[in-house]
Amino acid sequence: GQSRGGLLDVFRQELNKAKDEAMARNARPRLISAGGDGTASFALFLVFKALEADPARADEGLADSGNGFIWSDQEMRDSFPALAQMPLGGANDCAHILGWDCKISGANGLKKWIAAAISPESVEVNFDVWGIMPTEGEKVNFRVAAMGGPTGWSCKVKKEGKYHLDMVVAGKPSPFLICLYFSAGIFGYIVARFQNNRHPGRMKNNLEYFRQGVKILVESRPPELQRHLEGVSIKCDDELFFPPRSDKGNKASNYRDVGFYNINFQAGRFHGYDRAPTCARLCSSRDPVSFNDGLLDMERLKLKTVVKTGTKVQTDKRKNMTLTYDGSPGKGIFFQYDGEARFAFSPTGEPFEIHIRKVLNIPVVLGPYLNQKLTGKVKDGPPASFSFSGDSERQQDEVRRRIFRLLCGDVDTELIASAEDLAEFERASIAAVSGK
């Protein structure tokens, strides 16, 4: 249950007041999420936690309305707060794409920002939220860890005469909700190394990203990783998406990164557009990544891709994706989601799957700096509302159950590798190198 008198109680009371006041005005409450790109999913977690029913406190307003929450399905649909993202982080990709700029200048700038965020003139639209879901049952078949090791140019540590990556128990939250983007491969590895070398200033952080990327390209591959994306395959909508043209001998190891965009803004510079031949890319406009079309914008990257396309990434629209990793014991793969990095592996060394589909539809508030060349026609959709996503009631219920497992900590227990898991992984990695 939830403890009495804490900040969560205060937040719940304010949510209820905001709901009632907004309903009286035929409007929707709004919630300001202030911070970096990861705060959007954290804000959603807090709203769900505040609205979670607690039978032990039913007489205090926490009675179950029939769906596990204290608000009814209709109240969730009509009064779930619309998110306004305040840019207080590093890249601020989420705030930028929603039209809230990438920084706030001084007290006057803050006043103007808040005035726009609460203004009835600011438009509310739908926003797709994606999630890592089990392929079968209630649990995924992989574990995640964070990267430890020394800071600086090299993150490796020497173990039994060889240099290895040092994996440590990951912190919370566990990867589930994805609001911005996801990829597996070199970008996940770069972000993991960056997280151990973070600086206070944006310029220094940008230089750190560059430094870690260069170091990865020139240093020897650690034993815990296969060559590039070797061992990775992806199915989208039950069809093979990656590696492409595998029937003609194209290999996953030819690629450095694969994943998807939900928003058309990554690391302050990369944008996605529908895949097209060279002539069409030069002579016609292409639809950009849209955050409310219900589709993933899948991308794949070779080292020469950036040289060929620059910061305009070619994407393919798909409904869902299932990444399968097939590696021997002691090996895994880095992935990044919304700017956070984790290392995924199977404790048994067997193949594992990362299945991602749309899990939520949430309302968001658009700011005055919206760039429709980057967002497309996001204002043209149906009225903003909240819903659990899925092609059937069963799939929607799966999302509900997953959220309740997240709220009670079961997802953390399921996903985060224990010290024992990591010790066994380390033994397998060392054994693979030594041949023992």
Side-chain angles (χ1 to χ4, degrees), residues 277-349:
T278 303
C279 182
R281 296 202 302 268
L282 296 175
C283 303
S284 63
S285 61
R286 294 177 289 155
D287 289 338
V289 171
S290 172
F291 55 69
N292 63 8
D293 61 358
L295 297 172
L296 301 166
D297 286 85
M298 299 294 299
E299 55 86 15
R300 51 186 183 253
L301 174 73
K302 293 182 179 179
L303 195 58
K304 65 180 181 181
T305 302
V306 178
V307 178
K308 184 170 67 174
T309 66
T311 58
K312 291 187 176 181
V313 180
Q314 296 213 78
T315 60
D316 302 275
K317 294 189 181 297
R318 298 291 189 271
K319 192 173 181 180
N320 56 54
M321 64 158 276
T322 301
L323 182 153
T324 299
Y325 179 79
D326 189 356
S328 57
K331 293 190 182 295
I333 190 167
F334 283 101
F335 68 90
Q336 64 88 19
Y337 66 105
D338 295 359
E340 292 289 327
R342 293 292 185 269
F343 181 78
F345 68 98
S346 168
T348 63

Side-chain angles (χ1 to χ4, degrees), residues 2 7-13 15 31-34 38-53 69-71 76 80-81 83 173 177 360 403 406-407:
Q2 300 178 18
L7 290 177
L8 198 61
D9 272 4
V10 176
F11 182 44
R12 183 185 308 106
Q13 292 168 6
L15 272 178
L31 176 67
I32 294 175
S33 169
T39 54
S41 57
F42 181 63
L44 293 176
F45 172 86
L46 289 178
V47 173
F48 285 129
K49 189 65 178 175
L51 298 179
E52 183 185 18
F69 296 101
I70 62 174
W71 288 4
M76 294 286 281
F80 195 93
L83 191 73
L177 299 177
L360 299 172
I403 287 174
L406 179 72
L407 297 179

Side-chain angles (χ1 to χ4, degrees), residues 59-168:
D59 58 343
E60 300 175 44
L62 274 73
D64 191 338
S65 66
N67 56 10
F69 296 101
I70 62 174
W71 288 4
S72 67
D73 287 343
Q74 182 175 344
E75 288 174 317
M76 294 286 281
R77 183 191 67 205
D78 298 337
S79 297
F80 195 93
L83 191 73
Q85 182 64 39
M86 181 180 286
L88 296 183
N92 295 312
D93 292 333
C94 184
H96 203 127
I97 201 65
L98 294 179
W100 294 110
D101 210 355
C102 59
K103 64 179 180 179
I104 297 175
S105 300
N108 287 333
L110 179 60
K111 290 179 181 178
K112 291 180 180 178
W113 194 98
I114 293 177
I118 64 177
S119 170
E121 302 300 319
S122 295
V123 177
E124 297 172 0
V125 299
N126 291 303
F127 188 92
D128 301 329
V129 179
W130 304 84
I132 298 176
M133 297 288 290
T135 53
E136 294 181 0
E138 297 288 331
K139 298 181 180 181
V140 299
N141 60 352
F142 64 94
R143 300 289 186 273
V144 297
M147 193 171 70
T151 59
W153 273 95
S154 177
C155 59
K156 300 175 186 176
V157 294
K158 202 168 189 178
K159 300 176 182 179
E160 297 194 11
K162 301 289 184 180
Y163 283 97
H164 291 259
L165 297 179
D166 186 34
M167 298 303 171
V168 298

Side-chain angles (χ1 to χ4, degrees), residues 183-188 229 242 255-259 299-301:
S183 71
I186 190 171
F187 285 152
L229 289 180
F242 180 86
Y255 294 80
R256 299 295 185 114
D257 205 75
V258 64
E299 55 86 15
R300 51 186 183 253
L301 174 73

